[in-house]
Amino acid sequence: MTRSNAATNTGHAYLELASLTKRYGQITVVDSLTLDVRKGEFLSLLGPSGCGKTTTLQMIGGFVEPTSGNIRLQDRDLVRTPPSKRGLGMVFQSYALFPHMTAAQNVAYGLEVRRVGRAECEERVARALDLVGLAKFGDRYPRRMSGGQQQRVALARALVIEPSILLLDEPLSNLDASLREEMQVELRRIQQVTGTTTILVTHDQNEAMALSDRIVVMRAGQVEQIGRPEQVYEHPQTDFVAQFLGKTNLVSASVRTVNGVKEIVIGDQSFACDTALPEGPVRIAIRPEKMRLASSGIPGIVKNRVFQGTLWLLEITSEHGTILVQQPNVGTPPPRIGSACHLDLDGRDIHTFGTGV
Amino acid sequence: MRGRNGFWALAFHTLFVIFVLAPIAVVCLIAFTPESYLAMPTNGFSLRWFEALLDNRDFVTSFQTSLMLGLLSASAAALVAIPASIAIVRYRFPGRLFLLTLCMSPLMIPSIVLGVAFLRYLSQIGLGSTMPGLILSHVIIILPFILRTVMNSFGSLDPALDNAAASLGSSPWTTFRRVTFPLIVPGVVSGWILAFITSFDEVTMTIFIASPGLTTLPVRLMLYIEDSIDPLVAAVSAVLIALAVLTMLIIDRLFGLDKILIGNIDSDKNS
């Protein structure tokens, strides 16, 4: 599987971004970004809008010129290569299919400008359309196709030229929720079949987690954290990452040492925790699914409860603010709204951040 | 009462359409009169005024001049409008708005002022009373029409199309030839037609630049009317109307008139 390949293939960077910077006048959109992309991996650039992820992708694609810094693909300098000579495949947010060409003509375009022979061209177009499940739709014009089908044509068109890297710019954001999930599975399957190194730009954390070998969380033009999805989710290095990936509770607490063991103190409760931070006030993050209702612990009152099928989501009012708790649906309903309860948690699930900044 | 329009609305629209079309119909009918004055053909149809028109060398050469002038200046204006539109729509550069306003300014300047200015200017640069001089002045006054439609075509294109083509390995020229140009053809064609008609119709400015040896049809017609009014004028008009209708029919066959005028790209027509 690609995931394990990418994890073991740590030796040499395939695509290298070195102190990549883009400024528009006074505004720095991408701020000396350094990043290694490995061959065959599926990497996501994840962040809120305006974090520079799309600009980064466009600099790799060659549509935005970096203010400074370097992009190297297998030791080839990309910055000085025009986009048409980079050999990268790109899927645009708007798909950018050529409206006056059929699906097959769209896919064939990249091969025709490369002067691939007619027979080979036809064969590769057929294979690409087959790969994305549109074998019978070659004669259709884009506007006679659904959003999901257009998406697949765009993907086939980018993949048929056998790009060294596939760039995806929020490709699923124009699709409705159920189609988006279907396309996520498709995208992952296609990427694993072709083994194409893929960079995805998205603001959707679920999409990034479902698809990626590694996630790059970006904020204000800089890398906030890089890691495997479960790594980034379970061990966020900053409160921004903790908040951006999934739901999280941010609470003020403090660190103290008792008998050489560090403890996190929340109100009058303390939890053993292996934190690197010194004694004193800290902020902590804890995931809703890591909290549980118990007979003792942090006291609170159930403010609201939402049934989500497999889960109950509880909003608990406590002296530390509103705390979200997720409880698996095991058949017995949680306490009613307005009833008192206690929250317990495992100190190992606590992420601590300094109070600085 | 059925439909969305009430009786009075329908009556109004009918009267309005009749009001607009009636003069055209009347002119066409007069052209067939056997009389030697402007009259409705009440006692039989005659082609004598069309024969007279063919025998009139002045009108025939003026018609050829107008046709040549319209074709050349509309085509030259298209060659200017396409790159100008790309620059104005796609790029942000100092002087962009100035360039746009400059190209559109002939719409705002009275033609008579332009006529006087061109008369002086063209003879100064040695192009007075010449075909190149006429073409130059016509290109300038018809440019706004074609520039507008071509700019609209560019504006409605997804800018990502260019990037998509580039990422597929297409050079800028290939992208223009295979992607951009086919998509702006409706805008170019409708702009070209507008420009051609405007050039063919132009009197106010052209009357200053034309000379006895080089006169366009509308100018010739006007000079003729100054001396005499006879059904020959109606015959010329009828021929022009017939040509306009014929052109429209041909364009409709080739591209679809609604597509050109409304700008809807219907690619399935070729499939």
Side-chain angles (χ1 to χ4, degrees):
Chain A
M1 255 184 59
T2 325
R3 182 162 296 206
S4 55
N5 282 347
T8 51
N9 185 13
T10 49
H12 197 63
Y14 187 57
L15 178 77
E16 244 182 293
L17 311 184
S19 336
L20 200 61
T21 301
K22 180 65 194 179
R23 278 190 213 96
Y24 291 104
Q26 298 291 309
I27 304 155
T28 304
V29 183
V30 176
D31 192 359
S32 73
L33 183 92
T34 297
L35 181 66
D36 285 351
V37 183
R38 300 160 190 163
K39 189 166 171 54
E41 82 172 326
F42 197 125
L43 184 91
S44 290
L45 303 179
L46 174 68
S49 51
C51 73
K53 55 190 193 302
T54 298
T55 309
T56 305
L57 197 75
Q58 285 181 325
M59 285 194 280
I60 300 172
F63 310 121
V64 169
E65 203 185 331
T67 310
S68 64
N70 245 318
I71 307 171
R72 304 189 75 79
L73 175 63
Q74 286 186 308
D75 295 321
R76 187 158 64 97
D77 184 6
L78 278 196
V79 175
R80 260 163 280 284
T81 313
S84 58
K85 298 270 191 297
R86 293 191 187 196
L88 311 177
M90 181 139 177
V91 174
F92 295 81
Q93 194 172 358
S94 62
Y95 314 142
L97 294 178
F98 307 132
H100 58 306
M101 299 184 193
T102 62
Q105 287 168 344
N106 264 282
V107 177
Y109 188 86
L111 298 175
E112 284 167 10
V113 297
R114 279 179 173 67
R115 308 198 186 286
V116 171
R118 203 190 157 99
E120 191 195 339
C121 179
E122 270 172 30
E123 196 231 307
R124 280 168 74 176
V125 168
R127 233 189 309 145
L129 284 172
D130 192 46
L131 178 70
V132 297
L134 288 178
K136 292 193 176 72
F137 291 84
D139 292 335
R140 286 260 184 115
Y141 282 92
R143 57 194 188 81
R144 295 246 183 273
M145 302 180 113
S146 69
Q149 289 170 332
Q150 292 185 24
Q151 168 78 76
R152 286 160 193 261
V153 176
L155 196 60
R157 185 177 68 174
L159 282 170
V160 77
I161 59 170
E162 289 165 7
S164 36
I165 300 176
L166 179 64
L167 306 172
L168 306 170
D169 184 7
E170 308 239 8
L172 307 181
S173 60
N174 288 337
L175 303 177
D176 61 52
S178 62
L179 202 54
R180 200 178 311 151
E181 258 170 48
E182 191 191 314
M183 276 310 291
Q184 279 178 12
V185 177
E186 273 291 287
L187 212 53
R188 186 67 189 162
R189 177 187 68 82
I190 290 165
Q191 197 265 340
Q192 280 169 356
V193 168
T194 59
T196 310
T197 311
T198 304
I199 303 176
L200 168 79
V201 158
T202 182
H203 61 266
D204 182 340
Q205 31 124 353
N206 293 324
E207 195 172 299
M209 287 196 282
L211 289 169
S212 320
D213 294 311
R214 288 195 303 156
I215 294 179
V216 180
V217 184
M218 289 182 67
R219 180 196 191 184
Q222 289 179 316
V223 173
E224 195 83 358
Q225 188 173 354
I226 305 178
R228 283 178 286 113
E230 61 274 22
Q231 227 173 15
V232 178
Y233 185 83
E234 297 290 356
H235 305 287
Q237 281 162 9
T238 64
D239 53 350
F240 174 80
V241 175
Q243 267 186 310
F244 195 76
L245 256 83
K247 293 193 176 78
T248 205
N249 295 302
L250 284 175
V251 174
S252 298
S254 59
V255 176
R256 74 175 180 204
T257 314
V258 176
N259 301 331
V261 178
K262 280 193 174 153
E263 283 183 342
I264 298 287
V265 184
I266 308 168
D268 56 1
Q269 303 287 316
S270 61
F271 305 91
C273 176
D274 186 22
T275 176
L277 291 172
E279 289 193 7
V282 288
R283 274 181 304 163
I284 64 163
I286 181 150
R287 300 282 182 197
E289 72 270 19
K290 300 285 167 61
M291 310 278 289
R292 59 187 178 270
L293 295 172
S295 49
S296 66
I298 304 164
I301 292 167
V302 179
K303 185 180 156 199
N304 198 4
R305 54 178 209 181
V306 180
F307 183 53
Q308 296 180 324
T310 56
L311 293 169
W312 281 94
L313 182 66
L314 299 160
E315 278 180 49
I316 311 283
T317 313
S318 77
E319 57 182 300
H320 312 291
T322 301
I323 295 176
L324 293 174
V325 178
Q326 256 176 17
Q327 205 181 19
N329 176 14
V330 288
T332 47
R336 291 172 194 290
I337 292 170
S339 55
C341 62
H342 293 272
L343 295 172
D344 197 13
L345 54 99
D346 190 325
R348 283 173 300 184
D349 295 328
I350 296 176
H351 308 292
T352 54
F353 311 106
T355 49
V357 188
Chain B
M1 215 178 295
R2 292 185 301 147
R4 278 179 301 154
N5 291 318
F7 171 77
W8 292 111
L10 275 177
F12 174 78
H13 292 316
T14 311
L15 284 174
F16 185 78
V17 170
I18 290 172
F19 178 75
V20 170
L21 291 182
I24 296 172
V26 168
V27 163
C28 289
L29 284 175
I30 290 173
F32 290 95
T33 188
E35 312 292 346
S36 53
Y37 51 90
L38 294 182
M40 291 294 267
T42 43
N43 44 357
F45 283 88
S46 155
L47 290 176
R48 62 175 280 205
W49 292 108
F50 289 96
E51 278 168 41
L53 179 59
L54 282 178
D55 289 338
N56 188 321
R57 277 199 54 117
D58 284 350
F59 272 118
V60 173
T61 40
S62 294
F63 178 75
Q64 287 167 344
T65 305
S66 274
L67 206 59
M68 192 56 87
L69 178 63
L71 289 173
L72 289 176
S73 47
S75 306
L79 289 181
V80 175
I82 292 170
S85 303
I86 298 179
I88 292 167
V89 174
R90 288 284 166 82
Y91 298 96
R92 296 288 172 270
F93 53 91
R96 177 178 161 271
L97 270 179
F98 174 76
L99 180 67
L100 179 61
T101 315
L102 185 74
C103 291
M104 302 305 285
S105 62
L107 280 182
M108 285 160 273
I109 300 172
S111 305
I112 198 155
V113 174
L114 279 175
V116 175
F118 275 124
L119 174 66
R120 177 104 185 91
Y121 177 63
L122 290 178
S123 56
Q124 199 91 41
I125 61 172
L127 288 178
S129 311
T130 64
M131 193 62 171
L134 268 182
I135 292 173
L136 182 68
S137 57
H138 273 226
V139 166
I140 287 169
I141 58 159
I142 64 182
L143 186 62
F145 298 96
I146 189 161
L147 191 68
R148 262 284 163 235
T149 60
V150 178
M151 273 176 62
N152 282 343
S153 291
F154 270 113
S156 62
L157 288 188
D158 180 357
L161 287 176
D162 273 21
N163 289 349
S167 77
L168 293 169
S170 182
S171 68
W173 171 244
T174 310
T175 304
F176 178 77
R177 196 171 48 84
R178 294 208 44 199
V179 178
T180 320
F181 188 71
L183 292 172
I184 61 161
V185 159
V188 173
V189 171
S190 58
W192 191 94
I193 294 169
L194 267 178
F196 177 82
I197 292 171
T198 310
S199 160
F200 201 89
D201 256 3
E202 222 295 322
V203 182
T204 327
M205 182 197 76
T206 315
I207 208 161
F208 286 88
I209 308 166
S211 62
L214 190 71
T215 298
T216 64
L217 189 60
V219 173
R220 173 74 64 203
L221 207 55
M222 202 169 137
L223 295 174
Y224 187 83
I225 293 170
E226 277 180 356
D227 294 339
S228 54
I229 291 190
D230 58 31
L232 187 66
V233 178
V236 175
S237 308
V239 169
L240 291 184
I241 291 163
L243 279 179
V245 171
L246 195 69
T247 315
M248 290 299 180
L249 284 177
I250 292 171
I251 291 163
D252 191 38
R253 262 298 149 85
L254 288 181
F255 302 101
L257 206 54
D258 49 348
K259 200 169 45 170
I260 302 283
L261 297 179
I262 304 166
N264 176 22
I265 305 149
D266 189 7
S267 323
D268 280 356
K269 189 142 185 155
N270 311 320
S271 65

